[in-house]
Amino acid sequence: LQARGGAEDFKAYAAGLQVPGDYKGPKYAGPGSVDDAFVKSLLAMYKEQGKLPMKYVYEMTTDILDLLKKEKTLQRIAVPEGSKITVVGDIHGQYFDFVHMLEDISGLPSPSNPILFNGDFVDRGVWSCEVLMCLFAMKLQNPSAVHFNRGNHESEMTNYQYGFANEVEVKYEKKLMDLMSETFRYLPLAHVLEGQVFVTH
């Protein structure tokens, strides 16, 4: 996957980026560095209008892309008797509603508390980057307990029309949208829960 305007790929490009010296938020060093403390620190930082360094955004997104490339267009999830799965739709960049849901309703995802996010993570709301990076962090921590479906807003044309592309350019840089769009293209389109419930956006 090539970075626009150069021969380097996105992982090499990210390796050359620097983390600001005054950054005090969670530090990303690969999927293994994402634990409960990382996720909670990220959620808290965003509540205070903090910003994840661009280096970490590129690195986390390329690692998510690697995960998504291993998933199928139609994913099947077992939901054994006595267990549950929560299905969440249309967050649309509403960060504080998203946090309220995680803290007061659903709880954070975990192997005992799986969550399927059923598309439309971004656009319309002004915190789409923050919502998306929290989703990516949770997926990196628990790839088998955090599931994504692609919605109609995980699409490059829609992102340029409804705000996400502009938000990425303002908060980071335009080149990052190429990586985001490629990542969206690998999202599953549907999940079947316990062979009984078909979920798509």
Side-chain angles (χ1 to χ4, degrees), residues 1-191:
L1 185 61
Q2 303 298 308
R4 181 180 293 173
E8 57 200 338
D9 66 30
F10 282 115
K11 288 188 177 182
Y13 178 72
L17 296 174
Q18 299 298 313
V19 175
D22 60 350
Y23 174 70
K24 308 229 183 284
K27 295 176 172 56
Y28 185 72
S33 66
V34 183
D35 55 13
D36 285 346
F38 183 102
V39 172
K40 289 176 181 177
S41 178
L42 185 63
L43 290 166
M45 181 185 76
Y46 282 148
K47 279 186 187 178
E48 299 301 319
Q49 309 295 308
K51 181 178 176 181
L52 191 67
M54 186 159 64
K55 178 183 180 71
Y56 294 161
V57 173
Y58 272 102
E59 289 177 339
M60 290 171 67
T61 306
T62 56
D63 287 341
I64 281 289
L65 180 57
D66 288 343
L67 279 177
L68 293 176
K69 285 181 176 180
K70 298 173 185 174
E71 297 190 353
K72 297 179 179 179
T73 302
L74 174 64
Q75 291 279 102
R76 297 181 182 275
I77 305 174
V79 188
E81 187 173 349
S83 66
K84 68 169 186 175
I85 184 167
T86 301
V87 180
V88 177
D90 294 67
I91 302 168
H92 276 302
Q94 296 294 339
Y95 182 72
F96 291 93
D97 293 341
F98 173 62
V99 172
H100 171 68
M101 179 202 74
L102 292 173
E103 293 181 346
D104 299 325
I105 301 171
S106 67
L108 291 170
S110 68
S112 62
N113 186 37
I115 299 181
L116 167 57
F117 294 96
N118 191 31
D120 282 11
F121 317 133
V122 300
D123 282 332
R124 296 199 173 109
V126 297
W127 299 287
S128 292
C129 290
E130 290 80 358
V131 166
L132 194 62
M133 296 319 298
C134 288
L135 290 173
F136 285 176
M138 292 186 291
K139 176 78 170 173
L140 289 165
Q141 181 190 12
N142 290 298
S144 62
V146 176
H147 310 279
F148 299 149
N149 274 338
R150 186 178 185 179
N152 57 302
H153 281 265
E154 282 69 57
S155 165
E156 187 171 13
M157 182 177 69
T158 309
N159 295 154
Y160 276 94
Q161 184 174 0
Y162 286 93
F164 178 56
N166 184 64
E167 181 183 334
V168 168
E169 185 173 355
V170 168
K171 292 178 179 177
Y172 292 105
E173 63 179 5
K174 188 173 183 179
K175 177 161 53 181
L176 180 58
M177 261 311 293
D178 287 349
L179 176 58
M180 293 297 185
S181 296
E182 181 70 1
T183 303
F184 290 163
R185 285 189 277 270
Y186 277 91
L187 288 167
L189 298 181
H191 282 70

